[in-house]
Amino acid sequence: MAIDWYDEFVDLNYTPDSDEIICLFSCEPASGISMKEAAGRVASESSTGTWTTLFSLPPRMRALQATAFEIDGPYLKIAYPIGLWEEGNAVQLLSGIAGNIFGMKAVNHLRLIDATLPEAYLRHYKGPHFGMDGIRDMMGINGRPLTGAVPKPKIGFSAAEHAEIGFETWMGGFDFVKDDENLTSTAFNRFEDRVIALAKQRDRAESLTGEKKSAFLNITADTETMKKRADLLVANGWNYAMIDVVVAGTAAVMTLRDYCSDLGLAIHAHRAMHAAFDRDPRHGITMQFLAKMMRLIGVSQIHTGTAVGKLVGTAQEARVLADILREKKTMGVPQMSLDQDWGHIRSAFPVSSGGLHPGLVPDVLDIYGDELVLLVSGGIHGHPDGTRAGAAATMQAIDAWHEGVTLEEKAAGSPELKRALEKWGSYQPK
């Protein structure tokens, strides 16, 4: 009598139905396991299988089992029937296609690269509250990237010091001041104090510049505390909340998406801890799949890297991530992503950040275009003439890109940019 039945989860002649979720994996089987055997084990463990044959099964089980239907070298595709998935529960989806399968002895390495989410699954999600157009309307910004900066160092300032740096950032022409991932409510910079101090400086900057100013203030904590912090943001006139979405968890983000939506708050998603599972090219989950999940459950924007700054990621990866977040329909890139039609789900901004300065701005815009949130932090605060001059230099670099002139040509009439180039040139930090 047979012990296992993994081969029943592989059919290389199978044609998926239009309402099935299709997942692309890369796989390195363990010694003595063929790729076909490994594919069957992944499909089995992530759907209706188990390690041994069973005495009996209800007939409907056949309609619920996943099918590995394509194997191409180390890559495999698995189709998952729509009936496997609870409506509107992204947490349960992850428990299936990104759950036990990573710990199986039958695979040395396994990586979830992407998933095509059909309309039958998408219809149960709201996606981002605003979309990119809604964010631009909210901020009154068109024809250029949205800009922001973290006071640097990322943690250590008092609330008053943080707010003063924020004021200088806004006065240099930037739109947003941003908390970083590990600044929540510390003894030396309580969340409530920072919210109030920044609001006063925001009002001052708006009065002086006539421009809308805002901030990404980090509410990350347990869900009930995040709700209270979101309430405080609204009470002080803010239109954004920031969440460390990976460490907070999918369920918390889903809860806060609706809570913030009811308050009129957009969500800035920081991806802290993502590289713990997406940096190894052989194992874990890709950043493109994480970005897709975050758009699905409704953040307004998420960090996607720079390709030219201090964080890992290529220009092609940045473009794929940007398309996944911004476009209504995307065509798959071999071995990197799958086709996706987002239907009613609104767009989200990619956020480029990490080791940027004015000299790198054209390189980033060549990759992303205008539809992004551009965060330049150390690269403004380290300007020889201070934060305000650094922000102005960055805005001048953006103007140069739009005008089609080199930074050196622009710097001839832009002293802030000239000083920035004297310090950094085109240096790419590591």
Side-chain angles (χ1 to χ4, degrees):
M1 178 179 291
I3 294 177
D4 67 53
W5 50 311
Y6 297 122
D7 60 337
E8 296 186 26
F9 291 82
V10 181
D11 182 354
L12 300 183
N13 294 313
Y14 182 75
T15 301
D17 292 334
S18 61
D19 65 354
E20 291 190 283
I21 292 177
I22 308 300
C23 290
L24 172 64
F25 295 91
S26 64
C27 180
E28 179 187 315
S31 177
I33 301 291
S34 71
M35 187 64 179
K36 185 174 181 181
E37 288 176 294
R41 282 168 162 77
V42 174
S44 168
E45 183 65 29
S46 54
S47 64
T48 60
T50 188
W51 69 273
T52 186
T53 53
L54 301 175
F55 179 72
S56 65
L57 287 172
R60 69 174 178 278
M61 288 290 188
R62 290 291 181 187
L64 291 174
Q65 74 181 45
T67 303
F69 67 93
E70 183 178 307
I71 298 174
D72 181 11
Y75 300 97
L76 66 99
K77 290 181 182 178
I78 298 177
Y80 294 89
I82 192 66
L84 280 172
W85 311 113
E86 180 183 352
E87 299 89 341
N89 188 344
V91 182
Q92 186 248 357
L93 176 65
L94 292 175
S95 295
I97 65 173
N100 280 357
I101 54 176
F102 293 115
M104 295 189 302
K105 292 180 179 178
V107 296
N108 285 337
H109 297 102
L110 181 69
R111 186 165 171 85
L112 173 58
I113 298 173
D114 197 11
T116 294
L117 306 175
E119 192 277 332
Y121 189 77
L122 292 177
R123 71 173 61 138
H124 302 288
Y125 292 87
K126 300 170 186 175
H129 177 88
F130 292 96
M132 293 191 301
D133 290 342
I135 295 294
R136 286 195 175 280
D137 289 345
M138 181 174 73
M139 294 299 298
I141 299 167
N142 290 290
R144 64 165 175 83
L146 283 69
T147 55
V150 178
K152 293 290 184 175
K154 64 174 67 175
I155 192 166
F157 292 117
S158 69
E161 292 165 343
H162 188 106
E164 184 59 37
I165 295 169
F167 176 74
E168 291 297 306
T169 300
W170 284 319
M171 291 304 296
F174 273 25
D175 310 304
F176 297 98
V177 175
K178 178 186 171 295
D179 289 350
D180 226 340
E181 73 280 2
N182 55 346
L183 178 61
T184 53
S185 188
T186 57
F188 51 82
N189 191 338
R190 292 298 182 197
F191 181 80
E192 296 83 356
D193 297 337
R194 188 165 71 256
V195 167
I196 294 168
L198 269 171
K200 291 178 180 177
Q201 295 288 21
R202 174 203 62 205
D203 294 346
R204 180 181 167 210
E206 287 183 343
S207 176
L208 290 169
T209 65
E211 300 168 349
K212 181 75 172 177
K213 304 296 182 181
S214 190
F216 308 140
L217 287 148
N218 188 8
I219 67 173
T220 303
D222 64 274
T223 52
E224 292 305 312
T225 299
M226 285 197 281
K227 289 177 182 178
K228 292 175 183 177
R229 290 176 178 174
D231 291 339
L232 185 66
L233 291 177
V234 173
N236 284 274
W238 296 107
N239 53 17
Y240 258 93
M242 172 179 148
I243 302 174
D244 295 339
V245 293
V246 177
V247 296
T250 305
V253 178
M254 293 175 70
T255 298
L256 267 294
R257 183 272 177 207
D258 286 347
Y259 195 83
C260 288
S261 178
D262 290 343
L263 295 175
L265 292 172
I267 295 176
H268 176 92
H270 196 291
R271 60 179 181 167
M273 205 177 80
H274 74 100
F277 56 78
D278 71 23
R279 183 169 180 172
D280 187 337
R282 302 169 300 168
H283 195 79
I285 302 171
T286 64
M287 183 59 214
Q288 53 265 35
F289 178 74
L290 174 61
K292 178 170 284 188
M293 292 303 296
M294 287 300 128
R295 178 177 178 180
L296 176 73
I297 63 178
V299 306
S300 299
Q301 57 209 45
I302 185 169
H303 292 233
T304 53
T306 67
V308 297
K310 68 180 181 181
L311 302 177
V312 295
T314 66
Q316 184 184 35
E317 288 168 344
R319 291 188 186 99
V320 167
L321 285 168
D323 287 346
I324 285 171
L325 292 169
R326 299 186 302 201
E327 302 300 326
K328 186 175 179 62
K329 292 183 180 180
T330 56
M331 299 297 293
V333 176
Q335 304 175 6
M336 286 189 66
S337 64
L338 297 173
D339 297 351
Q340 182 64 54
D341 185 339
W342 283 100
H344 71 283
I345 301 291
R346 295 186 182 94
S347 59
F349 275 110
V351 179
S352 183
S353 67
L356 297 179
H357 56 77
L360 295 178
V361 165
D363 297 321
V364 174
L365 299 186
D366 284 344
I367 294 169
Y368 283 97
D370 269 327
E371 296 297 332
L372 82 157
V373 178
L374 179 66
L375 298 183
V376 184
S377 301
I380 70 167
H381 305 309
H383 190 282
D385 299 320
T387 294
R388 189 182 300 203
T394 302
M395 301 305 292
Q396 292 160 4
I398 293 171
D399 289 341
W401 186 81
H402 279 122
E403 294 163 8
V405 300
T406 68
L407 293 182
E408 290 72 21
E409 289 170 330
K410 184 70 174 179
S414 305
E416 295 89 353
L417 180 58
K418 183 174 185 295
R419 293 274 281 161
L421 295 179
E422 288 172 353
K423 177 171 183 176
W424 291 299
S426 59
Y427 172 72
Q428 295 187 18
K430 295 179 175 62

